[in-house]
Amino acid sequence: MLLHITNKKDRLAVLGMIILLLLTFIAILAPYIAPYDPVELNLTQRLLSPSIKHLLGTDSVGRDILSRIIYGTRISLMIAVIVVIIEVFFGVVVGTAAGYFGRAVDEIIMRLADILLAFPGIILALVIAGLLGSSIMNLIIALTSVGWVRYARVVRGSILSIKKEGFIESARAIGCSNLRIASRHILPNIISPVIVLATLNMGTIIISIAGLSFLGLGVQPPTPEWGIMLNEGKPFMESAPHLMIFPGLMIMITVLAFNFLGDGLRDILDMRINDIVEY
Amino acid sequence: MSLLDIVNLNISFATRAGVVQASDEVSFKIRKGEALCLIGESGCGKSIVALGIMRLLPGNARISGKIFFNGRDLLSLHKKAMRKMRGRDIAMIFEQPAGCLNPVLSVGNQIAEAVKIHENCSGKISRQRAVDLMALVGIPCPCKRYSQYPYEFSGGMAQRVMIAMALASHPSLLIADEPTTSLDVTIQAQIIELLKNLVSQFNTSLLLITHDLGVAAQMCDSVVVMYAGGIIEKGRMSDVFKNPGHPYTQALLKAASGKEPASVKGSVPELTRLPDGCRFHPRCELSQDICRKIMPQMKKGVKCHIQKKT
């Protein structure tokens, strides 16, 4: 299948898609695939190198790294999906309001968005973790409270340009109500930029989750999570580098897969680029 | 009684460059089943008058006067009542058919929507009606074309779709704003033929906006000539074209006949800075002192101091 697609970018997108499908299966089937319990300690088998018994070795308290990575996929993807859904929801609602009503509503929302965008996300997460404590819930709050702004801006921009299109005028001319125009003629047209943004955003969110957890501000040990695994492997970086290499690789592969897919989708969904064919 | 009776319609826009008077004391009538064409150069306010009838003007427009449709003044109607009239009683087709179709919805779906808005019918019925309409406007294999998307339609086919949407609920007035301007000449003829047939088949009144005098002559019973926001001549098509009264109409017809390489000197004045007196006087070969000072009155369908209808 991969070989039949001639465009290099499309091929990468399909590759990204296949990797993501695989990761999704791994996440869903984690209890059946993982060879060991991800949180079970086994102090007699600490810091083992990769072997037949432990394919990716064991960590400082003897937990199987492969099993922890498999369960980590579950946590990371789940949190990322929840974060994206919340961000898209608020972004689309607020962006639509700003773009559709315009004037004062638009002005207020967009200035608020500018303020939020000026906030460094990591510091905001620090503040939220400091105020509310570190937990998955608070991690989600920290990420979404700033993240929706990007969607709101994209949605608002698309709506402003679509509002001027001829088909909106002709929809009015056949007697469509405002609600009908918004739901049937405007919303379907902003879905593709939102899908592209969401896919590319997934990668960033996965890095943020790992980063915040690495700093101790997100998911808490002993939950198997890639950022935590990196943190736990840090003291053994020289003696047992596999503790950091495998979770690091996993983060990289996942983020790359999302970026490949997002880039490909952008090209496919953006008609302007798509239409140009060179001979 | 006339179907549409426009009385002293004024439309102006407040812009940074000043107030633009896009329609100045425009009055005309369309009888039931009559085809009237509004001709004039680009930028003389034809489309604005059409959008004014539909009440689809941009927010900065100021509109006054009366637009009677079946005896009811459209300008005093409530928003909701006006929305119900659009599509059902008055429909409109635009110059750029391809841009008037939503790229993410299938073409048939959009026609079915036009049916559904005004008639409470099931999806199955509206679908069937849409297919019938597509066949009516001459789209080949309507069942197959139903589920195709606008990018799969050529300009001419897209304009047929627009016509199908406009005629979905048999409106009594159809406004066609330059329906053929963006199409190839051969396709133009087909679309004109189609419009002509459908309009007579449904006994629909037609307000055709065009700057193509040939199209106007083919289709319409009467004509209104606009210049710089105002009407300068109106009357029956045969009278006006055979015996044009206003120097501007004469020049237009001369330019269109192509017998001599004639063009009207100069260009339409900017609507923010209209000349005093007759608006055409800076470009008129016959202009005299009175033309520069006093705006002529409409007499026997011509708005000119010098030329009188014989």
Side-chain angles (χ1 to χ4, degrees), chain A residues 103 165-178 180 184-186 188-189 271, chain B residues 51 54 56 83 86-87 90 94 99-105 109 113-114 117-118 162 165:
Chain A
R103 292 168 191 269
E165 293 281 340
F167 62 84
I168 298 300
E169 192 177 29
S170 84
R172 280 195 207 291
I174 59 169
C176 289
S177 61
N178 283 343
R180 198 181 184 98
R184 249 180 87 84
H185 293 279
I186 293 180
N189 276 291
M271 306 283 266
Chain B
L51 290 174
M54 294 294 279
L56 286 174
R83 189 189 300 148
R86 285 186 206 124
I90 311 176
F94 298 88
C100 290
L101 291 168
N102 190 336
V104 301
L105 295 178
N109 221 320
E113 184 182 29
I117 286 173
H118 298 291
M162 294 306 298
M165 282 169 74

Side-chain angles (χ1 to χ4, degrees), chain A residues 35-43 54 59 61-64 67-68 222:
Chain A
Y36 296 91
D37 184 338
V39 290
E40 192 188 53
L41 308 185
N42 190 344
L43 293 174
H54 294 281
D59 69 2
V61 286
R63 294 174 296 198
D64 181 49
S67 306
R68 285 179 70 72

Side-chain angles (χ1 to χ4, degrees), chain A residues 38-230:
Chain A
V39 290
E40 192 188 53
L41 308 185
N42 190 344
L43 293 174
T44 57
Q45 301 199 311
R46 302 173 61 226
L47 298 173
L48 292 182
S49 293
S51 63
I52 297 292
K53 211 175 158 208
H54 294 281
L55 281 177
L56 300 181
T58 59
D59 69 2
S60 58
V61 286
R63 294 174 296 198
D64 181 49
I65 290 180
L66 177 63
S67 306
R68 285 179 70 72
I69 281 182
I70 288 173
Y71 273 89
T73 314
R74 203 174 220 200
I75 291 278
S76 295
L77 285 185
M78 199 180 67
I79 298 177
V81 166
I82 293 173
V83 167
V84 162
I85 289 174
I86 298 174
E87 284 182 0
V88 166
F89 177 77
F90 283 105
V92 169
V93 169
V94 175
T96 309
Y100 200 78
F101 295 114
R103 292 168 191 269
V105 182
D106 184 27
E107 200 63 28
I108 292 168
I109 290 175
M110 283 302 119
R111 293 301 80 77
L112 188 77
D114 287 342
I115 293 169
L116 280 176
L117 273 186
F119 259 85
I122 206 112
I123 299 204
L124 192 77
L126 273 169
V127 171
I128 290 178
L131 285 175
L132 307 172
S134 312
S135 72
I136 292 182
M137 191 62 196
N138 295 339
L139 175 68
I140 293 174
I141 294 175
L143 289 175
T144 48
S145 57
V146 181
W148 64 269
V149 173
R150 246 178 294 171
Y151 294 90
R153 290 176 76 98
V154 165
V155 167
R156 168 187 175 267
S158 314
I159 287 183
L160 286 185
S161 72
I162 291 164
K163 253 166 75 176
K164 296 197 190 91
E165 293 281 340
F167 62 84
I168 298 300
E169 192 177 29
S170 84
R172 280 195 207 291
I174 59 169
C176 289
S177 61
N178 283 343
L179 190 68
R180 198 181 184 98
I181 286 176
S183 63
R184 249 180 87 84
H185 293 279
I186 293 180
L187 275 182
N189 276 291
I190 58 166
I191 282 177
S192 47
V194 168
I195 289 176
V196 171
L197 183 59
T199 315
L200 291 171
N201 202 208
M202 283 290 282
T204 324
I205 291 171
I206 295 224
I207 288 188
S208 301
I209 297 168
L212 289 170
S213 302
F214 179 83
L215 294 173
L217 298 170
V219 183
Q220 295 300 302
T223 317
E225 199 277 340
W226 299 336
I228 293 172
M229 291 174 74
L230 283 175

